[in-house]
Amino acid sequence: MNTAEAVSYWRLGLIGGQLGHSLSPRLQRAALKDAGLQGEYRLYAVPPLPEGEAQLRALIEGLRAPQALRLHGLNVTIPHKQNVLPYLDELTPTARAVGAVNTLYACGSRLIGDNTDAEGFWLDFERLLAAAPPQKSTPTALVLGGGGAARAVAYTLLQQDWRVALATRRPEQGRRVARDLNTLRLPGRITAIPLEAESLAGWQAVCAVINATPVGMSPHTEDCPYPAEIPLPPQSVVYDLVYNPAETALLRRARQQGLPAANGLGMLVEQARLAFARWTGFTPSPERLWEALGRAHIPPPGGQA
Ligand code: NAP
């Protein structure tokens, strides 16, 4: 964290590939306003590696530049969440476990990489659970996908003593994630399974289905990551990390089956609040950030964001 007294103008920003539709500037500018801090949040579009390598390095080094030139905090998104790892001095335990970062800052001269997706997911997911608390002492979640977001989701669920079935289309990817996370000896355990109807049919007693793939994202809004041949587990809540469109095909199926469901907009808001707090020490109010997205209120528990 930077010391607020020493910073008169906060230079914050987002490193990523395609940033035109990012909601982060709206969220972080609202956070600056809520904190009463002067500053900016800029978009830094960096091409994929190797082309973007020098630009990526220069931006990250900007976090420990002399004060007048300095960047005070950066978010990182696709495709650079792992590309930045070699330039950092230290990863938080969450970032290390997830193997990807979304929040960068300097602590003295050391560059720190953090991952606020994991905690951001849990904070929003808890809201959904409040509407439909799991009936089991050790609940099980079915997580679809095996990339950075799936790792973050699985990590936080395992920390909370959930069991996780991780469904991936490439079995070796799922097995790798399961091995990495089980090695951490967290309270919960994770099992890798194929993302196929035949295998998912054996997981109908789970308490939650969580989509951590991009399937269903605009413009492919008719695509659903859960197989059409089988119903969604009847006792589950359904959480889709995708939030564009607001009601994905998966969430539509959940609604048709009468299951509590939410999209990932709440997670986006929570990870942004956590990142801003890491940089400035100030945690912005959720209401101000939702307002910045054009929504006056936090969505009701279990309701659509
Ligand atoms: P990623 O690292 O690229 O991983 C994507 C995962 O989805 C991979 O396992 C990939 O499998 C799988 N996948 C892709 N297309 C698939 C398909 N047609 N069928 C089955 N599996 C498929 O991406 P990520 O960073 O984990 O992000 C995943 C999604 O979460 C994105 O839509 C992202 O926008 C969203 N997200 C939302 C938030 C939020 O705040 N709401 C935060 C982070 C991420 P392969 O490796 O085989 O391609």
Side-chain angles (χ1 to χ4, degrees):
M1 190 181 80
N2 301 275
T3 38
E5 308 88 285
V7 180
S8 56
Y9 189 84
W10 290 82
R11 283 188 212 87
L12 309 172
L14 170 65
I15 297 176
Q18 315 261 325
L19 298 176
H21 297 291
S22 173
L23 296 175
S24 292
R26 280 207 245 169
L27 293 170
Q28 297 297 356
R29 286 168 193 157
L32 281 165
K33 201 165 162 200
D34 191 36
L37 297 174
Q38 293 293 315
E40 64 190 23
Y41 185 89
R42 293 174 61 170
L43 296 177
Y44 298 102
V46 176
L49 302 190
E51 197 194 336
E53 196 163 344
Q55 196 185 346
L56 196 61
R57 183 192 293 259
L59 279 166
I60 294 167
E61 282 302 321
L63 290 166
R64 55 180 161 203
Q67 190 59 256
L69 304 169
R70 185 154 158 221
L71 293 169
H72 301 101
L74 288 170
N75 283 135
V76 188
T77 189
I78 294 169
H80 296 305
K81 283 184 170 188
Q82 291 175 317
N83 294 341
V84 300
L85 297 180
Y87 306 121
L88 304 175
D89 299 312
E90 203 175 310
L91 297 180
T92 62
T94 305
R96 209 174 316 124
V98 173
V101 298
N102 72 342
T103 302
L104 307 180
Y105 52 92
C107 190
S109 63
R110 293 182 70 69
L111 294 180
I112 316 290
D114 200 351
N115 187 310
T116 64
D117 280 340
E119 194 181 341
F121 161 75
W122 180 255
L123 289 172
D124 195 47
F125 183 62
E126 266 190 320
R127 257 179 231 132
L128 180 61
L129 289 181
Q135 299 303 310
K136 300 190 174 147
S137 56
T138 307
T140 300
L142 179 61
V143 177
L144 313 179
R151 274 182 183 259
V153 165
Y155 173 70
T156 197
L157 288 167
L158 297 175
Q159 274 187 317
Q160 300 293 335
D161 201 11
W162 280 57
R163 286 183 169 277
V164 174
L166 187 80
T168 57
R169 64 175 169 181
R170 286 186 296 122
E172 74 280 8
Q173 182 184 50
R175 283 197 294 270
R176 193 168 56 243
V177 175
R179 191 194 55 224
D180 290 352
L181 292 177
N182 278 332
T183 305
L184 298 174
R185 307 224 163 273
L186 300 164
R189 299 292 287 172
I190 176 169
T191 311
I193 61 170
L195 181 41
E196 291 163 3
E198 202 180 11
S199 144
L200 296 187
W203 294 86
Q204 283 282 305
V206 299
C207 301
V209 175
I210 300 158
N211 176 38
T213 78
V215 179
M217 208 156 91
S218 180
H220 306 289
T221 54
E222 292 308 311
D223 294 353
C224 181
Y226 194 85
E229 303 92 304
I230 49 173
L232 286 162
Q235 308 297 328
S236 65
V237 299
V238 178
Y239 192 96
D240 198 336
L241 267 66
V242 174
Y243 49 81
N244 180 20
E247 186 178 74
T248 60
L250 177 67
L251 295 179
R252 190 161 60 245
R253 280 184 68 183
R255 179 167 52 78
Q256 286 161 354
Q257 276 189 234
L259 304 176
N263 69 25
L265 203 53
M267 171 177 171
L268 187 80
V269 168
E270 293 301 338
Q271 63 77 31
R273 296 176 66 219
L274 291 163
F276 192 82
R278 301 286 198 275
W279 299 326
T280 67
F282 178 88
T283 305
S285 88
E287 290 83 0
R288 293 293 88 76
L289 269 58
W290 280 104
E291 275 167 18
L293 296 178
R295 287 162 176 78
H297 304 291
I298 298 179
Q304 278 296 304

